[in-house]
Amino acid sequence: MSDKLIIFDTTLRDGEQSPGASMTKDEKVRIARALERMRVDVIEAGFPIASQGDFEAVKAVADTIRNSTICGLARALDKDIDRAGEALQGANSARIHTFIATSPIHMQEKLRMQPDQVLEQAVRAVKRARQHTDNVEFSPEDAGRSDLDFLCRVLEAVIDAGATTLNIPDTVGYNLPHQFGELIYNLREKIPNSDKAIFSVHCHNDLGLAVANSLSAVLNGARQVECTINGLGERAGNAALEEIVMAVRTRQDVFSCDSELDTTQIMTCSRLVSGITGFTVQPNKAIVGANAFAHESGIHQDGVLKKRETYEIMRAEDVGWATNRMVLGKHSGRNAFRTRMQELGISFTSEDEVNAAFSRFKDLADKKHDIFDEDLQALMTEAGIEAENERFRLLALKVCSETGETPDANVTLWVNGEEKSAHAQGGGPVDAAFRAIEEIVHSDTELQLYSVSNITTGTDSQGEVTVRLEKAGNIVNGQGADTDIVIASAKAYINALNKIMQPMERAHPQGADV
């Protein structure tokens, strides 16, 4: 039998550190439920010491999820570790992940500590974490640039102190696959008690090698991979969960291990994370991109029609494409709606919530004929957005755009309980709408990104708009969806304004980038 490959998802922690990707507590719980349905082994829910909001989100996930281990990140400091332990008290299975940097540049320039001091603090942190749980993970930050002999000393000591998982991060994405694989192999060979812990890897994608480095590590004995949905994460992102899982499963002739994930849930998770964070998936993205299983070449099409395996190495259905495609419409009843929502992992706390969601669904059904799972996910994401941010709300929008004339927009907003209206002209209907909104809010923000994508196929598809705003170094993403692109754009802009005017507390302590 092959070994089990443990999948450690850090979308809710490292993924959230992408600029503008902050998630609310309820959004984190929704994603955690989707990860649990996919049978992810470990969910890193956040960094409890970072803020009160992060603490409450980790606690909510720990209190909700029953079938996955919930992990909290902590620096090698007593206050961090105790805060993580407190947040995880309600978890059915809890893990504390503590870390300290071990590379010369980090020890000298960031920590201002000598190697022996770092080793001593690492051991003390693991022992402290063991007071809260017997499931303790230790990471030597920037391991990829650390001295091998010193790294071995630290890891041997933390195993003796009680660490059950050793996570080796390529924090800055510096390593090449053969180097990183050799590092894992050498650590396992040189550390006398290496058989008493599971070796894990956490790779960043700065050189586009996060997945390759992770797979090289697995080939050399790592049995846990830390990854994120869609490769979301700090800077260029992390190793993409979907690529790791499907590479190992597809190449069982090479890998002597496999995960236990239900891969048919991959697309659902991918769309959910994309919708909540506003980070759209590029069409040519492996596994989850819109073109991942598309064939335009006549030769390819002919081959696939004759035998799928000629040009496809895995089945689209195995990762959730074209499965569970129940289509709802204006004649669908409340029971069918509620049942489909439950199958998508969306639950309601009261009958009023069901009624409000069903009313939104009916409004959408009047605008488009067929409503797919992606539409329902977008519907609930938008509902969460409005519930979370109530400073500004779009009440009415009228836009005029015709050939040879300057587009203009009239907008009415609800602003702290008061209706306000404004008119503006712009270079296009969206620009005019944004300018009219600014006539009311005077936000002094800078628009950094505006993107539009279709949620499903067809001319009546909902458009999903992402707007990224920046103000005084604070970056937020706003999302909006509607069958009318201009209205979706206005919703996205207002969502971003609500976030930036009432910024979530996201000040991550120094060194959170494991």
Side-chain angles (χ1 to χ4, degrees), residues 353-405:
E353 278 193 13
V354 177
N355 293 336
F358 188 66
S359 176
R360 286 173 175 273
F361 163 73
K362 283 295 189 181
D363 288 343
L364 179 59
D366 285 336
K367 298 177 184 177
K368 71 188 300 275
H369 186 266
D370 294 329
I371 297 178
F372 298 93
D373 292 350
E374 298 91 326
D375 294 310
L376 298 176
Q377 295 278 19
L379 206 66
M380 294 310 297
T381 296
E382 187 175 40
I385 286 170
E386 292 185 5
E388 191 74 22
N389 305 293
E390 285 293 325
R391 184 169 181 179
F392 308 119
R393 190 193 309 160
L394 179 67
L395 296 180
L397 174 64
K398 181 180 179 181
V399 177
C400 182
S401 181
E402 59 180 302
T403 305
E405 299 292 332

Side-chain angles (χ1 to χ4, degrees), residues 148-181:
L148 180 60
D149 290 336
F150 177 64
L151 197 55
C152 288
R153 283 178 57 207
V154 172
L155 296 178
E156 180 182 356
V158 296
I159 294 174
D160 285 339
T164 52
T165 300
L166 302 180
N167 180 57
I168 312 302
D170 184 19
T171 302
V172 293
Y174 178 73
N175 280 255
L176 299 179
H178 74 280
Q179 293 175 319
F180 200 62

Side-chain angles (χ1 to χ4, degrees), residues 116-346:
D116 286 345
Q117 293 175 304
V118 169
L119 189 151
E120 181 182 343
Q121 189 162 329
V123 169
R124 185 169 62 246
V126 170
K127 289 181 177 178
R128 184 81 174 196
R130 288 283 300 203
Q131 295 176 15
H132 296 279
T133 176
D134 59 2
N135 190 341
V136 176
E137 177 171 333
F138 174 78
S139 289
E141 186 185 6
D142 204 22
R145 295 189 295 178
S146 299
D147 175 75
L148 180 60
D149 290 336
F150 177 64
L151 197 55
C152 288
R153 283 178 57 207
V154 172
L155 296 178
E156 180 182 356
V158 296
I159 294 174
D160 285 339
T164 52
T165 300
L166 302 180
N167 180 57
I168 312 302
D170 184 19
T171 302
V172 293
Y174 178 73
N175 280 255
L176 299 179
H178 74 280
Q179 293 175 319
F180 200 62
E182 286 176 7
L183 174 62
I184 301 302
Y185 177 84
N186 288 331
L187 290 174
R188 294 179 66 236
E189 287 294 309
K190 288 177 176 289
I191 298 171
N193 53 0
S194 63
D195 60 323
K196 295 179 181 178
I198 293 171
F199 276 75
S200 167
V201 289
H202 178 118
C203 297
H204 279 265
N205 207 38
D206 298 72
L207 294 176
L209 296 170
V211 170
N213 284 337
S214 298
L215 294 176
S216 179
V218 172
L219 287 172
N220 283 277
R223 286 298 177 263
Q224 176 179 286
V225 175
E226 302 197 356
C227 42
T228 60
I229 300 296
N230 300 336
L232 195 67
E234 190 91 28
R235 303 184 311 279
N238 291 285
L241 177 147
E242 60 276 8
E243 295 178 27
I244 295 289
V245 170
M246 293 312 296
V248 172
R249 187 156 298 179
T250 302
R251 295 304 308 271
Q252 282 292 286
D253 58 320
V254 174
F255 292 95
S256 59
C257 60
D258 197 5
S259 71
E260 296 179 352
L261 258 66
D262 177 2
T263 59
T264 62
Q265 297 296 316
I266 285 176
M267 281 307 305
T268 299
C269 285
S270 172
R271 290 169 178 146
L272 177 61
V273 170
S274 177
I276 285 176
T277 62
F279 281 70
T280 55
V281 176
Q282 66 195 60
N284 62 329
K285 168 78 169 63
I287 315 297
V288 294
N291 295 344
F293 293 92
H295 301 275
E296 185 169 325
S297 163
I299 294 174
H300 286 210
Q301 291 173 344
D302 180 62
V304 169
L305 289 172
K306 289 175 178 174
K307 189 171 179 63
R308 180 188 60 82
E309 289 82 357
T310 53
Y311 286 101
E312 287 187 0
I313 60 173
M314 54 193 153
R315 299 192 315 157
E317 304 93 298
D318 290 343
V319 297
W321 284 102
T323 58
N324 297 321
R325 299 289 287 181
M326 180 189 288
V327 180
L328 301 178
K330 65 188 300 180
H331 299 297
S332 298
R334 187 184 305 268
N335 185 52
F337 171 76
R338 188 202 291 261
T339 299
R340 191 66 195 135
M341 287 301 217
Q342 288 173 344
E343 290 171 352
L344 291 173
I346 299 170

Side-chain angles (χ1 to χ4, degrees), residues 26 37 95-96 193 295 317 332 349 361 378 410 434 458 502:
D26 290 342
R37 283 196 309 278
R95 175 185 293 187
I96 292 177
N193 53 0
H295 301 275
E317 304 93 298
S332 298
T349 57
F361 163 73
N410 291 283
F434 287 0
Q502 298 174 336

